[in-house]
Amino acid sequence: MSTFDDAAAATAPTSAAPPAEQGADGSALTVVVLAAGGGTRMRSKTPKVLHRIGGRSMVGHVLAAVAALQPARVVTVIGHQRELVGPHVEETMPGVVLAVQEEQLGTGHAVRIALEALPEPPSTGTVLVAYGDTPLLEAATLSAFTEAHRAAGAAVSILSGVVASPFGYGRVVRNAEGHVEAIVEEKDADDAQRAITEINSGILAFDAAFLAEVVGRFANDNANGEYYLTDAVKLARADGLLVTAHPVDDALQTEGANDRAQLAVLGREMNRRIVERWMRAGVTVMDPATTWIDADVTLAPDVTVLPGTQLLGTTTVAEDAVVGPDTTLEDCEIGAGARVVRTYGQLATIGAGATVGPFSYLRPGTELGADGKIGAFVETKNARIGEGAKVPHLSYVGDAEIGEGTNIGAGTIFANYDGVNKHRTTVGAHARTGSNNTFIAPVTIGDGAGTAGGTVVRRDVPPGALAVSSSPQRNLEGWAISRRAGTAQAAAAEAARDAAARDAE
Ligand code: UD1
Ligand code: CA
């Protein structure tokens, strides 16, 4: 059997699509995902399969790979914390069938429950069984395995793996001719069987008719007292049916995370694969080790990602944009050629050619137009900033609309909150507002208007007008010398006065 190495190039879809009516090749495929187990080693109030890496839950990754096969139906077996796992699975894959396994009596029992949950148990085609905690599993691996199973005409096929330390796994027992005879679990194995390094990954494919019949024949007279799905192998052989095993080269694809240390290892490996995939697709990543990209992120060719950057959720970055260093963007949309430096952004849209940062905080609802600017120490929220408009320095822009070509002075606060309600501020196009302004919402500043430095804008400013709210400046001559006598301030004032007097001579 050839390896599934080429599968590594495959990409999972961005979200798990609902099951189709038919398998992609016209033969019915049913997929059973086992996710009823407890996962106590996570030591968590969150169920094991809902722990996240790469921006999705572990079971979310598995369901995305499964969805790419366009199976006729998908059943997920839930048990432990099913009130949390069930809704998550349904949300991830609308149309999925949930089967509740009250007590985890073994994988064979779980699959029986899964078939019973279907209105019509499949009698033709293929049933593929996978686990909900193998996040690196790829669609191409599943489909190559399913194809191999069908091509062989086997009753049961095993996605196996040859590993250095097989401890804990079911071993694939072959006869003298190399034909698969059984899977023997660790606790039931004798010394010779324990020495076998070909293991059952857990992913099995069945002829649907055979499975429907054999699930009623599992016994639990084994070391674990469980109903083993893996007993289907020896039962098929006893019936004179064919069983095949297909070793997968990339063993990590079927590896589960049982504790947080394993979760981190798989998370880093997933990220390594995602980053590599984007580099091969034309993205420059200066430091892959400090770059984190979620599975559902989309990057265009010639994007550059600088060190210390996290691109999370459904973030998209268009071509020639440069993101980073030290930037986190979650569910953001970055336009072509934009530049985003040392920024934290959530649900923000940045137009083509715009610049953001350093040290900018983009909160949800930020929309920066093409060629606009959000500069250093600027926080924005629910703010539409027009094409070419600029908020360059030290400002808070909340619940605002800023027209195209407008420049907001340094240190401006859009005071949107009166302590009870939030209000909007509208600034028109090509306005020029002074430094250190406060805009008390709700308020409107018209097109082409201006405001003087230090203005507190409480009333609307008509188009083209200049608003001045601070009182005229008075200078009390000689104040420092008379009122601050004996201080450094007074001495400096005296020196300046004496110098001016000398110059005047
Ligand atoms: C199982 C296989 C073993 C294989 C190994 C790979 C059997 C009998 N053994 O062993 O050959 O090498 O996986 O990891 O199948 N689950 C349920 N309901 C149950 C029992 C399990 O949903 O009643 C789910 C678990 O949540 C888990 C998966 O099935 O996702 C496997 O169960 P687990 O108990 O980990 O099986 P292993 O003993 O590891
Ligand atoms: Ca296991």
Side-chain angles (χ1 to χ4, degrees):
M1 175 67 204
S2 68
T3 68
F4 297 112
D5 238 18
D6 291 347
T11 63
T14 53
S15 69
E21 280 309 303
Q22 280 274 292
D25 63 353
S27 55
L29 175 67
T30 301
V31 181
V32 176
V33 177
L34 302 186
T40 48
R41 278 176 285 166
M42 282 289 177
R43 297 187 185 280
S44 177
K45 60 183 176 300
T46 301
K48 174 165 89 168
V49 295
L50 298 199
H51 279 263
R52 298 172 79 83
I53 57 175
R56 295 180 189 151
S57 66
M58 288 206 277
V59 71
H61 285 287
V62 173
L63 292 173
V66 164
L69 305 190
Q70 296 180 270
R73 16 186 142 54
V74 178
V75 189
T76 302
V77 181
I78 57 175
H80 271 277
Q81 292 179 283
R82 60 178 191 258
E83 67 289 352
L84 297 175
V85 180
H88 174 79
V89 167
E90 282 182 312
E91 191 186 322
T92 307
M93 182 182 264
V96 70
V97 175
L98 296 179
V100 175
Q101 188 190 27
E102 296 285 353
E103 263 186 297
Q104 281 70 62
L105 302 178
T107 50
H109 179 254
V111 169
R112 184 156 66 84
I113 298 272
L115 297 186
E116 284 169 5
L118 290 170
E120 279 172 74
S123 55
T124 60
T126 302
V127 179
L128 189 63
V129 178
Y131 298 165
D133 67 347
T134 57
L136 293 184
L137 184 62
E138 288 178 19
T141 301
L142 284 180
S143 71
F145 171 59
T146 306
E147 267 324 299
H149 162 78
R150 283 177 180 154
V156 187
S157 295
I158 305 160
L159 186 66
S160 66
V162 178
V163 297
S165 33
F167 179 81
Y169 289 102
R171 308 298 205 284
V172 177
V173 179
R174 294 178 185 257
N175 66 16
E177 289 83 53
H179 297 304
V180 177
E181 289 292 326
I183 295 174
V184 178
E185 295 303 311
E186 176 79 34
K187 283 191 188 164
D188 304 297
D190 60 30
D191 286 349
Q193 290 165 339
R194 282 201 189 95
I196 297 171
T197 55
E198 186 179 6
I199 56 106
N200 168 30
S201 72
I203 294 172
L204 301 173
F206 295 88
D207 173 75
F210 172 70
L211 181 65
E213 177 270 317
V214 83
V215 286
R217 287 202 271 153
F218 298 141
N220 64 352
D221 55 349
N222 50 53
N224 285 309
E226 286 180 7
Y227 296 93
Y228 291 163
L229 182 61
T230 46
D231 279 356
V233 173
K234 69 178 186 203
L235 293 169
R237 293 301 300 126
D239 291 354
L241 299 172
L242 178 66
V243 178
T244 57
H246 309 277
V248 64
D249 249 16
D250 181 11
L252 287 173
Q253 284 199 38
T254 57
E255 196 139 301
N258 291 309
D259 61 28
R260 313 231 192 180
Q262 288 175 332
L263 187 71
V265 169
L266 292 185
R268 179 169 284 286
E269 176 58 18
M270 175 176 294
N271 187 63
R272 196 191 64 73
R273 291 176 181 208
I274 292 171
V275 170
E276 183 171 321
R277 174 159 61 82
W278 286 120
M279 292 192 292
R280 295 205 187 285
V283 173
T284 296
V285 178
M286 188 181 278
D287 183 15
T290 62
T291 298
W292 290 82
I293 303 176
D294 277 353
D296 293 321
V297 166
T298 309
L299 307 177
D302 287 319
V303 161
T304 297
V305 184
L306 297 177
T309 294
Q310 296 171 288
L311 302 176
L312 308 178
T314 58
T315 293
T316 64
V317 185
E319 64 177 3
D320 297 325
V322 181
V323 180
D326 300 327
T327 292
T328 297
L329 299 176
E330 193 177 344
D331 302 325
C332 289
E333 197 183 317
I334 309 301
R339 183 84 180 81
V340 183
V341 185
R342 290 187 205 279
T343 290
Y344 184 88
Q346 264 183 316
L347 283 164
T349 303
I350 303 303
T355 62
V356 178
F359 310 109
S360 304
Y361 179 23
L362 313 175
R363 291 168 55 199
T366 296
E367 287 177 38
L368 178 61
D371 302 316
K373 180 183 174 92
I374 293 174
F377 305 104
V378 172
E379 174 180 341
T380 58
K381 184 212 76 170
N382 199 10
R384 276 224 303 274
I385 302 171
E387 208 177 305
K390 294 182 175 162
V391 187
H393 329 274
L394 299 160
S395 294
Y396 171 64
V397 183
D399 300 310
E401 172 108 28
I402 298 173
E404 62 169 41
T406 284
N407 190 83
I408 302 297
T412 295
I413 303 300
F414 285 62
N416 59 330
Y417 186 46
D418 61 15
V420 181
N421 295 305
K422 303 275 170 75
H423 303 281
R424 280 190 83 76
T425 298
T426 304
V427 184
H430 299 287
R432 294 282 178 272
T433 69
S435 295
N436 194 29
N437 276 202
T438 303
F439 302 151
I440 313 281
V443 75
T444 298
I445 296 165
D447 291 346
T451 64
T455 302
V456 177
V457 179
R458 297 172 191 277
R459 290 187 293 126
D460 290 356
V461 182
L466 177 71
V468 183
S469 73
S470 46
S471 52
Q473 178 174 328
R474 292 187 298 146
N475 293 335
L476 307 181
E477 295 293 343
W479 180 89
I481 293 167
S482 69
R483 304 294 290 270
R484 291 289 182 269
T487 66
Q489 182 187 5
E494 280 162 359
R497 178 197 58 192
D498 295 349
R502 273 196 305 277
D503 285 353
E505 278 170 12

